[in-house]
Amino acid sequence: MDRSDLELVLAVRDGGSLTAAALSLDVAPPVVTKRLAALEAQLGQRLFQRTTRRVSPTAEGETVCERAQLLLQGFMALESELQERKAEPTGLVRLAATFGFGRLWLGPALAAFQERYPRIEIQLQLTEQLPDLALEGFDGAIWLWSVQGRQAAQWVSRRLARNQRVLVASPRYLKQHGEPADLEALQHHACLIVRENGNAAGQRFDVWQLHRERDKTPARVRVHGPLASNSGELVRDWCLEGRGIMLRSLWDIAPQLASGQLVRVLPAYSMPDADIHWLAPYRTDQPRRIRLLIDHLAAQFQDTPWKTTRPAAASRTAPRGSRPAP
């Protein structure tokens, strides 16, 4: 059987007569009669019962028609995919991301992607609260947590990069106040609190949920200090000035750790669920431009570049002689 045979049996079934099938296939009725007879002879099965008023499939004919429909759908999907690959991707992509990661790492990655595919237009909205992506028309978000609970059945999540939130302080602070020996000792230190990215009502920003990296044992400690802000960048600056201990993502402070401006405190502990994720509402017909973008971002971030390189945004904007921007 070839593709024309599959189209023939479906045309006969759907039309209910050889004449209707001939009209659908744009051939003369005798051609349909001859081709159907040849196909039945080839298969050794009668596919259709013929009466003066109607042609209806036999049990074997129904089986052939069902398989024919699936096979033709596969042919069409393959052709569509090949045409899509051949054509230059185009269209609009609307994304959401947090301010810090979006500016430092995502922005340069998106610019490189758009340069590679110049007919794709990208709109990036930086925000500290994850929008309702489907309601507000976003194709996806690059966020620092994965989908949990009921949302997991309605959303698509793909981890783009591993990341940790770690405890850090400046050498100046540790020289003046000493290094905490354990988590409980944090209660006696000035801790710098970031009050951002809150999603749950009543969320406690002064409670740090950590785990011991060796065995993933959870740990919870309540902290306090004289300085807090909804700006992570400001809190990072306070930390660099020696104002206290901070809990911050590695992507934001890796350059300062590498240069010695910051050092890890209690390095056996970190905050879980801080990886970089692609989040999007579930859809069955994901456009090629979105698939290409996700693969591009995964390739850009798979080696966690913040551990080895400075962010491109910071490299462009830092004045000569200034400290490296995160």
Side-chain angles (χ1 to χ4, degrees), residues 85-162:
R85 289 185 180 183
K86 182 179 178 181
E88 184 178 1
T90 185
L92 172 66
V93 178
R94 297 192 68 235
L95 301 173
T98 56
F99 278 95
F101 188 82
R103 182 177 65 85
L104 293 175
W105 296 103
L106 180 60
L110 292 179
F113 177 79
Q114 201 282 325
E115 183 177 8
R116 182 177 180 183
Y117 300 105
R119 295 187 62 190
I120 294 180
E121 179 184 352
I122 297 176
Q123 294 180 2
L124 174 62
Q125 179 170 318
L126 300 182
T127 174
E128 295 302 346
Q129 297 291 336
L130 182 65
D132 186 323
L133 300 177
L135 183 63
E136 299 184 34
F138 286 96
D139 293 295
I142 291 78
W143 219 252
L144 305 188
W145 48 264
S146 58
V147 179
Q148 303 292 333
R150 290 186 302 173
Q151 284 183 322
Q154 304 171 0
W155 287 32
V156 174
S157 176
R158 175 177 173 181
R159 184 172 62 198
L160 300 176
R162 292 190 178 276

Side-chain angles (χ1 to χ4, degrees), residues 229-287:
S229 175
N230 67 334
S231 168
E233 293 183 353
L234 177 57
V235 171
R236 184 195 62 226
D237 290 343
W238 285 336
C239 191
L240 287 165
E241 293 169 3
R243 306 288 183 177
I245 297 173
M246 171 180 66
L247 179 65
R248 197 68 181 156
S249 283
L250 276 176
W251 61 259
D252 190 34
I253 56 171
Q256 288 83 359
L257 286 173
S259 68
Q261 291 178 288
L262 294 175
V263 295
R264 286 193 62 172
V265 174
L266 298 172
Y269 292 90
S270 64
M271 179 178 258
D273 195 23
D275 293 340
I276 313 301
H277 288 84
W278 164 270
L279 304 179
Y282 175 77
R283 57 188 299 181
T284 57
D285 57 338
Q286 189 178 72

Side-chain angles (χ1 to χ4, degrees), residues 21-34:
L23 184 62
S24 173
L25 297 172
D26 194 25
V27 297
V31 173
V32 172
T33 302
K34 183 177 180 180

Side-chain angles (χ1 to χ4, degrees), residues 2-65:
D2 58 25
R3 184 170 180 174
S4 63
D5 294 326
L6 303 180
E7 294 170 342
L8 171 68
V9 294
L10 290 179
V12 174
R13 184 196 66 177
D14 296 342
S17 73
L18 300 183
T19 302
L23 184 62
S24 173
L25 297 172
D26 194 25
V27 297
V31 173
V32 172
T33 302
K34 183 177 180 180
R35 285 179 53 192
L36 181 57
L39 180 59
E40 290 178 326
Q42 176 187 341
L43 298 176
Q45 299 284 349
R46 192 170 184 83
L47 302 181
F48 292 91
Q49 296 288 355
R50 301 160 177 80
T51 68
T52 55
R53 302 184 63 180
R54 183 164 181 81
V55 175
S56 57
T58 62
E60 294 77 12
E62 281 287 4
T63 300
V64 171
C65 288

Side-chain angles (χ1 to χ4, degrees), residues 116-235:
R116 182 177 180 183
Y117 300 105
R119 295 187 62 190
I120 294 180
E121 179 184 352
I122 297 176
Q123 294 180 2
L124 174 62
Q125 179 170 318
L126 300 182
T127 174
E128 295 302 346
Q129 297 291 336
L130 182 65
D132 186 323
L133 300 177
L135 183 63
E136 299 184 34
F138 286 96
D139 293 295
I142 291 78
W143 219 252
L144 305 188
W145 48 264
S146 58
V147 179
Q148 303 292 333
R150 290 186 302 173
Q151 284 183 322
Q154 304 171 0
W155 287 32
V156 174
S157 176
R158 175 177 173 181
R159 184 172 62 198
L160 300 176
R162 292 190 178 276
N163 176 56
Q164 293 173 299
R165 291 189 181 100
V166 297
L167 298 164
V168 296
S170 71
R172 174 183 174 185
Y173 176 86
L174 296 178
K175 182 178 180 180
Q176 291 178 345
H177 302 280
E179 186 171 345
D182 51 36
L183 288 181
E184 289 70 23
L186 287 174
Q187 300 177 53
H188 306 293
H189 282 264
C191 291
L192 305 171
I193 299 172
V194 182
R195 306 178 62 87
E196 66 179 1
N197 297 338
N199 293 298
Q203 179 178 354
R204 295 293 301 268
F205 295 97
D206 59 348
V207 175
W208 289 349
Q209 303 280 357
L210 306 170
H211 70 194
R212 189 164 55 190
E213 294 184 13
R214 182 180 63 190
D215 55 12
K216 309 305 180 185
T217 301
R220 182 175 181 271
V221 58
R222 184 172 181 179
V223 298
H224 66 277
L227 294 171
S229 175
N230 67 334
S231 168
E233 293 183 353
L234 177 57
V235 171

